[in-house]
Amino acid sequence: MTQPRQFVIEADGGSRGNPGPAGYGAVVIDPVTGETLAEAAEYIGVATNNVAEYKGLIAGLKAAKALVPDASADGALQVRVRMDSKLVVEQMSGRWKIKHPDMKPLAAEAARILPASAVTYEWIPREKNKHADRLANEAMDAGRRGKQWEPSASTASLDTPRPSAASALPPVSGPPGDAAAGAAKARAALASRPAAASPAAPQAGWGAAPDLGAPATFVLLRHGETALTPEKRFSGSGGSDPELSAAGRHQAECIARSLADRGTIEEIVSSPLRRCRETAASVAARLGLEVRIEEGLRETDFGAWEGLTFAEVRERYGADLDAWLASAKVAPTGGGESFAEVARRVSATRDRLTTRYAGRTVLLVTHVTPIKTLVRLALGAPPEAMFRMELSAASVSAVAYYADGNASVRLLNDTSHLR
């Protein structure tokens, strides 16, 4: 009986903005020798991290299938997929339900490439997925230059073995089969391609970024308290637009003194809502700066929930609240804004402001949802991460945005200036 061919696939995808400029990378590896048998990478335009990760999986499965003529036959091929995306691994393993409409067709496409019995999935930490991560970043770098990734752009070629991989990869169950023949076939295919005029320089990835200059740094200040804040009532852009309370005005003065001592703020931009404008005015008076109003920084419109506590919303609109907690696309009762709508508004605002204030440090005086959204997008975290962040009144967070589209969260919920 012919033994199955065995491969390991490592795949990854990324988005610089989530959604933002996105790309994927995938590599097919001989599990015995650790040799790279095939690579794939592509810039896919604007997409989310999850879409890019699924695209990387699909590319890796197709690359493995291409190495085995009868791969679709039962028992012809055995593949172990290794990814640092817990979402993709769990969904493709059948342990997590696929709810997002963008993920369902991608998962279905991945499932059709090879027989289900031929593929197993394994989660690995990001630091063990460096090859695929590098390819994904090369693809995004190429996209930034208006090009597509080409095999010659990679620092690894099909002829280059990975000496450490054999010890890093546990063997696929069963005999090794004729994986060496597949390696020879892949090398022969590479040799048949036209040679490049000269070797391409390695493209910059996470480990060797070029000098991109000073980032646009957003210091994110949540406004001071209002009368609604201590009672934890929904207070968005569709309600009464309350002013700062006495406690809130004191908080604004504290942060103004702290920022003046630091001396790094160059511009101030504020939400149009009164509590933010009052907080921004205190800081501006201390720093001698003007305040620019930005509509995109306003808080979510919470519809009929404005002014109510969580318990009151639960009592009056229980089913609507459950739906809202379960999906970022669901709006509050009475025509409010969904978190998905807010994310689109805040993303567009972020893009305008990072362009306008490239290389500068800007204070954005805004609200809970816009700040959490900016942090979530910078981290590439899913929408449900919004409910896992604490953000106190008059707290300071910070995110830096670089010219290549990458972001770095530098601070979250700092209230040291209030102590």
Side-chain angles (χ1 to χ4, degrees), residues 234 237 296 298-306 320 323-347 369-370 373 376 383 386-387:
F234 282 93
S237 58
R298 61 182 170 79
E299 179 62 290
T300 307
D301 182 347
F302 290 111
W305 303 352
E306 293 277 359
D320 289 353
W324 180 72
L325 292 172
S327 173
K329 295 183 178 181
V330 174
T333 308
E337 280 183 300
S338 70
F339 281 157
E341 291 172 314
V342 175
R344 287 192 290 271
R345 164 165 59 83
V346 170
S347 295
T369 309
T373 298
R376 177 183 75 78
M386 299 275 288
F387 299 110

Side-chain angles (χ1 to χ4, degrees), residues 258-272:
S258 176
L259 292 175
D261 289 341
R262 296 182 189 184
T264 56
I265 301 299
E266 299 172 270
E267 307 278 353
I268 301 176
V269 182
S270 173
S271 156

Side-chain angles (χ1 to χ4, degrees), residues 33 37-38 91 113 116 124 129 134 173 178 186 197 199 210 224 227 242 265 273 289 345 398 405-406 413:
T33 67
L37 304 179
Q91 288 182 344
I113 296 170
I124 56 175
N129 202 24
R134 171 174 57 77
S173 58
D178 56 348
I265 301 299
L273 299 185
L289 298 173
R345 164 165 59 83
N406 285 310
N413 196 39

